[in-house]
Amino acid sequence: MQHLITTSDFSKEEILELFEDARLFKDLTSNNYLNGKIIVNLFFENSTRTRSAFEIAAKRLGAQVISLDVGRSSRSKGETIFDTIANINAMKPDAITIRHSECGLPGSLIEHVNCPIINAGDGTHAHPTQALLDLFTIVEHFKGETEGKKVAIIGDVKSSRVAGSNRKLLPRFGMEVCFVAPDCFKYEGDEYKQYNHISEIIDEVDVIMSLRTQLERHHEVYFESLNEYAKDYCITEETLGERDILLLHPGPVNRNIDISDEMLKDPRCKVLEQVSNGVAVRMAILKKLLS
Amino acid sequence: MQHLITTSDFSKEEILELFEDARLFKDLTSNNYLNGKIIVNLFFENSTRTRSAFEIAAKRLGAQVISLDVGRSSRSKGETIFDTIANINAMKPDAITIRHSECGLPGSLIEHVNCPIINAGDGTHAHPTQALLDLFTIVEHFKGETEGKKVAIIGDVKSSRVAGSNRKLLPRFGMEVCFVAPDCFKYEGDEYKQYNHISEIIDEVDVIMSLRTQLERHHEVYFESLNEYAKDYCITEETLGERDILLLHPGPVNRNIDISDEMLKDPRCKVLEQVSNGVAVRMAILKKLLS
Amino acid sequence: MQHLITTSDFSKEEILELFEDARLFKDLTSNNYLNGKIIVNLFFENSTRTRSAFEIAAKRLGAQVISLDVGRSSRSKGETIFDTIANINAMKPDAITIRHSECGLPGSLIEHVNCPIINAGDGTHAHPTQALLDLFTIVEHFKGETEGKKVAIIGDVKSSRVAGSNRKLLPRFGMEVCFVAPDCFKYEGDEYKQYNHISEIIDEVDVIMSLRTQLERHHEVYFESLNEYAKDYCITEETLGERDILLLHPGPVNRNIDISDEMLKDPRCKVLEQVSNGVAVRMAILKKLLS
């Protein structure tokens, strides 16, 4: 039995096979691959977008979904997360999808269950399904030719689990990842090149991945307002000029903070394609882990 | 592709065809017309009743339903309704059902989606599925002979989207609509006859449609209490006497404010039949728009 | 048509037949017994555990589930529970599962509906599906030989609906039930032997059923803290020693208050098996009442 806690749970070959399925699922029509399967969605952090994508993916495959709002009941009765999981596991679901604010929590549950665990985001640690859909969008855009491509991840790199997963996943497919961030949002480590401003490398990059500025994850106030951040880090028409750059964002986009209104309408910006791909890739992941 | 924003989106012929389906669905047993379809329910206004009716209708047709409690997550992240819809649309559902407090909002979404939008109530504007189920209940009651029938809509006509939809729909089927309301609740316009008290026309009407007094939609206090309103506008046995009048209400009924306990038990009162018809008519609507 | 309000709604023979089905369902894989059926779950009291078990049971049988969060909408509009039920019933579901804080409420709804009502717990009164799964776990453990077995129910007997249902059900299968509780939690009646401390009868019992101490159901403060209660009533390795006793608990367990961490890992403790059996027994119940 296989889990998906971080992208390293899948080999490069497995990921390419996954993408073959995702390609078949791209129109998002329904099939019967997971008829009779039950998937429990445990979202301790609220997320309309990711929860919906997982739910639609499961239902398009013919599976049933049970969404547990665990926060409201079990926890108010003082139950530990491990007891909650042991109980859900005793009801014998075919998979458990979990989002939690604590780094590493989904991985620590593996030994307590008899079904695949899928990490739908854990704190600032990892968001493997997002990174896989980002990679899939890049692979499709470059028709598989990802070797040597340069990807600039811009924004709150420090607390982004999307950055956390992508910086490990993309280099496995020959890409070079660098970060663009103000000092307060910089990655703590020196394995990646880091820049203060996108202008320093705009002429070299093939992909810009803008991140959502998540002020709620910081304990200190770094900017007087998001507008101050936006002055230097918002991706605008001026930033890209005529360059052939693929612009991505995990959503939801802070309009005119992360990306400008105009750039969101620009054909180089593929944020909605990422959303569609997100369902297709999750369908492929669920099919792989459950069937 | 067709949407249902107001009842005028359907021709008279289409509505009669719809009712043929609704008649077949009247026992509300399950079928497979929409197997493999996914319907997203977006209720920005809380509504157990309408949401349940839509959900049961969809599931009786074999469709899957995803209910998004959009208010709690996306909006708290500052996303606009148009971005929320664009994202949901990118997940390629087969239809989106939406209830929102803002008049005209569901209609404004049409250009942003690739699937049918069904208006499940927008502010004080329209509630087309309610009007269609009301019409269906009237058509069934009079065995199709609606020509020349007089319908008195009584109560808070001013802020009722149910009245808003019915006053346009019923005349298309030969019925004459009039309003009975205190001045503060009167319709602002002169296309319809308006009365202060039901006694003025009780001998002429074939149908009384009582409305829910929605104090929450008014900014001013018009009555010291609902009981004061009820003195003049509650439909009682005394109001109807022995007359052969069909009594309707969109629910939930304020007992002894809108309709008296006794009249709710009277065979002339068809509020629960309206609820059953509501599922059958919505099944017919979903089948029409999705298949 | 049959309902399940208390365990006395089923004859001994019916229960044994039910258990034959539950045995077949024990691996909790999916089937099609209830394809095309719609079950409405009405939980007025929050309960992740019981609601999930019912939902998984229904979906494993191929039924569709509609979970209504009735508390939030209908009730805020001032609707009575009887009107809410009449409306839901008019939508023609195939069964209604209801949990409510008021004793006797589910039973009082029977005359208002055309489908089976399943009591998922009403106040301090009854919790028939829990008692049936407890009995099933006991029957399986003793390979059907329940005659003469002694069961000690320990803890807050006074306000426990689990105790309320088990004290009536278990004796029908030849078992002798006694209670162990501090005075403040004792059963008000003299049909059952009652003890102050488990040590008084530990050498005679075959089954210990520990209850969740539900301080929220008491109006007075009986203990300074749950730890004080635990000193005398927590089931530990010391309590059981080497004795061959089956240890049960309806969950969620207050760790080291109701049962110690060590005993929860002990093979004599079958709380997770109860959870699995809970889905299997509810599948059997739904199959019986709906097909």
Side-chain angles (χ1 to χ4, degrees):
Chain A
M1 194 178 54
Q2 219 178 352
H3 305 273
L4 177 57
I5 304 303
T6 71
T7 55
S8 64
D9 289 324
F10 292 163
S11 71
K12 203 175 154 178
E13 290 63 41
E14 284 180 304
I15 290 171
L16 292 173
E17 276 172 37
L18 205 69
F19 288 179
E20 281 176 37
D21 273 343
R23 222 162 273 131
L24 295 174
F25 293 151
K26 239 178 173 175
D27 63 353
L28 305 186
T29 52
S30 300
N31 60 52
N32 297 317
Y33 281 109
L34 298 187
N35 259 8
K37 302 289 185 186
I38 289 183
I39 297 167
V40 169
N41 280 351
L42 273 178
F43 276 63
F44 289 89
E45 285 191 324
N46 229 338
S47 162
T48 298
R49 181 179 306 249
T50 306
R51 196 178 65 74
S52 310
F54 269 109
E55 191 167 341
I56 289 185
K59 290 181 171 174
R60 284 294 184 205
L61 292 161
Q64 301 264 35
V65 175
I66 292 181
S67 287
L68 295 188
D69 197 349
V70 209
R72 278 199 288 170
S73 174
S74 304
R75 281 198 296 181
S76 72
K77 289 183 177 173
E79 200 178 40
T80 70
I81 175 81
F82 297 104
D83 283 339
T84 300
I85 287 290
N87 272 282
I88 290 169
N89 183 60
M91 295 186 201
K92 302 182 186 169
D94 297 293
I96 297 172
T97 303
I98 183 163
R99 168 168 285 202
H100 200 281
S101 60
E102 203 177 310
C103 300
L105 189 118
S108 71
L109 300 176
I110 287 177
E111 55 187 303
H112 297 79
V113 299
N114 304 306
C115 69
I117 295 268
I118 299 165
N119 180 5
D122 58 332
T124 60
H125 175 235
H127 193 351
T129 59
Q130 177 71 42
L132 286 165
L133 79 87
D134 291 338
L135 173 62
F136 181 66
T137 306
I138 296 171
V139 166
E140 293 300 277
H141 181 77
F142 293 111
K143 299 187 171 54
E145 304 297 322
T146 57
E147 197 66 36
K149 293 288 185 289
K150 284 196 181 172
V151 181
I153 302 182
I154 181 167
D156 186 358
V157 173
K158 188 177 172 183
S159 50
S160 168
R161 54 194 174 204
V162 178
S165 285
N166 271 304
R167 67 183 165 82
K168 290 180 183 155
L169 178 64
L170 304 187
R172 293 171 64 197
F173 290 79
M175 285 177 267
E176 188 185 318
V177 167
C178 68
F179 300 136
V180 178
D183 285 347
C184 58
F185 288 165
K186 280 209 166 65
Y187 172 66
E188 287 161 0
D190 53 11
E191 312 100 283
Y192 304 91
K193 286 187 191 153
Q194 301 208 53
Y195 302 92
N196 289 313
H197 198 271
I198 186 71
S199 62
E200 302 171 43
I201 45 149
I202 189 72
D203 288 323
E204 301 170 35
V205 301
D206 303 287
V207 181
I208 290 177
M209 189 179 290
S210 169
L211 299 175
R212 179 177 175 80
T213 312
Q214 301 185 291
L215 294 184
E216 66 270 26
R217 291 198 192 277
H218 293 282
H219 297 295
E220 287 180 52
V221 178
Y222 294 112
F223 291 100
E224 283 186 23
S225 79
L226 283 173
N227 290 326
E228 200 192 338
Y229 164 85
K231 255 192 306 185
D232 285 327
Y233 296 94
C234 183
I235 306 298
T236 63
E237 287 180 309
E238 211 180 314
T239 317
L240 260 63
E242 298 297 313
R243 296 175 191 89
D244 183 21
I245 291 174
L246 172 64
L247 177 57
L248 302 178
H249 189 290
V253 178
N254 284 316
R255 283 181 169 265
N256 300 312
I257 304 295
D258 305 334
I259 301 178
S260 72
D261 284 342
E262 297 74 33
M263 273 314 299
L264 283 168
K265 283 182 257 172
D266 192 288
R268 289 170 290 182
C269 177
K270 297 284 172 73
V271 299
L272 290 175
E273 199 170 306
Q274 281 174 284
V275 175
S276 299
N277 287 342
V279 179
V281 167
R282 288 184 179 99
M283 285 174 76
I285 292 168
L286 292 174
K287 171 172 173 279
K288 175 178 172 56
L289 297 180
L290 275 88
S291 64
Chain B
M1 195 178 52
Q2 217 179 353
H3 304 274
L4 177 57
I5 304 303
T6 70
T7 55
S8 64
D9 288 323
F10 291 163
S11 71
K12 202 175 156 180
E13 290 63 40
E14 284 181 303
I15 291 171
L16 291 173
E17 276 171 38
L18 205 71
F19 287 179
E20 281 176 37
D21 273 342
R23 222 163 272 130
L24 295 174
F25 293 149
K26 238 178 174 175
D27 63 353
L28 305 186
T29 52
S30 300
N31 59 52
N32 296 318
Y33 281 110
L34 299 187
N35 259 9
K37 302 290 185 185
I38 288 184
I39 297 167
V40 169
N41 280 350
L42 272 179
F43 277 64
F44 290 88
E45 285 191 325
N46 228 339
S47 161
T48 299
R49 182 180 305 251
T50 306
R51 195 179 65 75
S52 310
F54 269 108
E55 191 168 342
I56 290 186
K59 289 181 171 175
R60 284 295 185 205
L61 292 161
Q64 301 263 36
V65 175
I66 293 181
S67 287
L68 295 188
D69 198 347
V70 208
R72 276 199 289 170
S73 175
S74 304
R75 281 199 297 181
S76 72
K77 290 185 177 170
E79 200 178 41
T80 70
I81 176 82
F82 297 104
D83 283 338
T84 299
I85 287 290
N87 271 282
I88 291 169
N89 182 62
M91 296 186 201
K92 302 184 184 166
D94 298 293
I96 297 172
T97 303
I98 184 163
R99 167 168 286 202
H100 200 280
S101 61
E102 203 177 310
C103 300
L105 188 117
S108 71
L109 301 176
I110 288 177
E111 54 187 304
H112 297 79
V113 298
N114 304 306
C115 69
I117 294 267
I118 300 164
N119 180 4
D122 58 333
T124 60
H125 175 235
H127 194 349
T129 60
Q130 177 70 42
L132 286 166
L133 79 88
D134 291 338
L135 173 62
F136 181 66
T137 306
I138 295 170
V139 165
E140 292 300 277
H141 181 77
F142 293 112
K143 298 184 172 57
E145 304 297 323
T146 57
E147 196 65 37
K149 293 289 186 288
K150 285 195 181 172
V151 182
I153 302 182
I154 181 167
D156 186 357
V157 173
K158 188 178 171 182
S159 51
S160 168
R161 54 193 175 205
V162 177
S165 284
N166 270 305
R167 67 184 164 82
K168 290 179 183 158
L169 178 64
L170 303 187
R172 293 170 64 196
F173 289 78
M175 287 177 266
E176 189 186 318
V177 167
C178 67
F179 299 137
V180 179
D183 285 348
C184 57
F185 288 165
K186 279 208 165 68
Y187 171 68
E188 287 161 0
D190 52 11
E191 314 99 283
Y192 305 91
K193 285 187 191 155
Q194 300 208 55
Y195 302 92
N196 289 313
H197 198 273
I198 186 70
S199 62
E200 302 171 44
I201 46 150
I202 189 72
D203 288 323
E204 299 170 33
V205 300
D206 303 286
V207 181
I208 290 177
M209 188 179 291
S210 169
L211 299 175
R212 178 175 176 81
T213 311
Q214 300 184 291
L215 294 185
E216 67 271 25
R217 291 199 191 275
H218 292 282
H219 297 293
E220 288 181 51
V221 178
Y222 294 113
F223 291 100
E224 283 187 23
S225 79
L226 282 173
N227 290 326
E228 200 193 337
Y229 164 84
K231 256 192 306 186
D232 285 328
Y233 296 94
C234 183
I235 306 298
T236 64
E237 287 180 308
E238 211 180 311
T239 317
L240 260 63
E242 298 296 313
R243 296 175 191 88
D244 183 20
I245 292 174
L246 172 64
L247 177 58
L248 302 178
H249 189 289
V253 177
N254 284 315
R255 283 182 169 265
N256 300 312
I257 304 293
D258 304 333
I259 301 178
S260 73
D261 284 343
E262 297 74 34
M263 271 315 298
L264 282 169
K265 284 182 255 173
D266 191 289
R268 290 170 290 181
C269 176
K270 296 283 172 75
V271 299
L272 290 175
E273 200 170 307
Q274 282 174 283
V275 175
S276 299
N277 286 342
V279 179
V281 167
R282 288 183 179 100
M283 286 174 75
I285 292 167
L286 292 174
K287 172 171 173 281
K288 174 178 175 56
L289 297 180
L290 276 88
S291 65
Chain C
M1 195 179 50
Q2 218 178 352
H3 305 274
L4 177 57
I5 304 303
T6 71
T7 55
S8 64
D9 288 323
F10 291 163
S11 71
K12 202 176 156 178
E13 290 64 39
E14 285 180 302
I15 291 171
L16 291 173
E17 276 172 38
L18 204 70
F19 287 178
E20 281 175 39
D21 273 343
R23 223 163 272 131
L24 296 174
F25 293 150
K26 239 179 175 176
D27 63 354
L28 306 185
T29 53
S30 300
N31 59 51
N32 297 318
Y33 281 110
L34 299 187
N35 259 9
K37 303 289 185 185
I38 288 183
I39 297 167
V40 170
N41 280 351
L42 272 179
F43 277 64
F44 290 89
E45 285 191 324
N46 228 338
S47 162
T48 299
R49 183 179 304 252
T50 306
R51 194 178 65 73
S52 310
F54 269 109
E55 192 169 340
I56 289 185
K59 289 181 171 175
R60 283 295 185 205
L61 293 161
Q64 301 263 36
V65 175
I66 292 181
S67 286
L68 295 188
D69 197 348
V70 208
R72 278 199 287 170
S73 174
S74 305
R75 280 198 298 181
S76 71
K77 290 185 178 172
E79 199 179 43
T80 70
I81 176 81
F82 297 104
D83 283 339
T84 299
I85 287 290
N87 272 281
I88 291 169
N89 182 61
M91 295 185 201
K92 303 184 185 165
D94 297 293
I96 297 171
T97 303
I98 183 163
R99 167 168 285 201
H100 200 280
S101 62
E102 202 178 310
C103 300
L105 188 118
S108 71
L109 300 176
I110 289 177
E111 55 186 303
H112 297 79
V113 298
N114 304 307
C115 69
I117 294 267
I118 299 165
N119 180 5
D122 58 333
T124 60
H125 175 236
H127 193 351
T129 60
Q130 177 70 43
L132 286 165
L133 79 88
D134 291 337
L135 174 61
F136 181 65
T137 307
I138 296 170
V139 165
E140 292 300 277
H141 180 78
F142 293 112
K143 299 185 171 54
E145 303 298 321
T146 57
E147 196 66 37
K149 294 288 184 289
K150 285 196 180 170
V151 181
I153 302 181
I154 181 167
D156 186 358
V157 174
K158 188 176 171 182
S159 50
S160 168
R161 55 194 174 204
V162 177
S165 285
N166 271 305
R167 68 184 163 81
K168 289 180 182 155
L169 177 64
L170 303 187
R172 291 170 63 196
F173 289 79
M175 286 176 266
E176 188 185 318
V177 167
C178 69
F179 299 137
V180 178
D183 286 347
C184 57
F185 288 165
K186 280 208 165 65
Y187 172 67
E188 286 160 1
D190 52 11
E191 312 99 283
Y192 305 90
K193 285 186 191 155
Q194 301 208 53
Y195 302 92
N196 289 312
H197 198 272
I198 186 69
S199 63
E200 301 172 44
I201 45 150
I202 188 72
D203 288 324
E204 299 171 35
V205 300
D206 303 287
V207 181
I208 290 177
M209 189 178 290
S210 170
L211 298 175
R212 179 175 176 80
T213 313
Q214 300 185 291
L215 294 184
E216 66 270 25
R217 292 199 190 276
H218 292 283
H219 298 294
E220 288 181 50
V221 177
Y222 294 113
F223 292 99
E224 285 186 21
S225 79
L226 282 173
N227 290 326
E228 200 192 338
Y229 164 85
K231 255 192 308 186
D232 285 329
Y233 296 94
C234 182
I235 306 298
T236 64
E237 287 181 307
E238 210 180 313
T239 317
L240 260 62
E242 299 296 313
R243 295 175 191 89
D244 183 20
I245 292 173
L246 173 63
L247 177 58
L248 304 177
H249 189 290
V253 177
N254 284 315
R255 282 182 170 265
N256 300 311
I257 304 294
D258 305 334
I259 301 178
S260 72
D261 284 342
E262 298 74 34
M263 271 316 297
L264 283 169
K265 284 182 256 172
D266 192 289
R268 290 170 290 182
C269 176
K270 297 283 172 75
V271 298
L272 290 176
E273 200 170 307
Q274 283 175 283
V275 175
S276 298
N277 286 342
V279 179
V281 167
R282 288 184 179 100
M283 285 174 75
I285 291 167
L286 292 174
K287 172 171 173 277
K288 176 179 172 57
L289 297 180
L290 275 87
S291 64

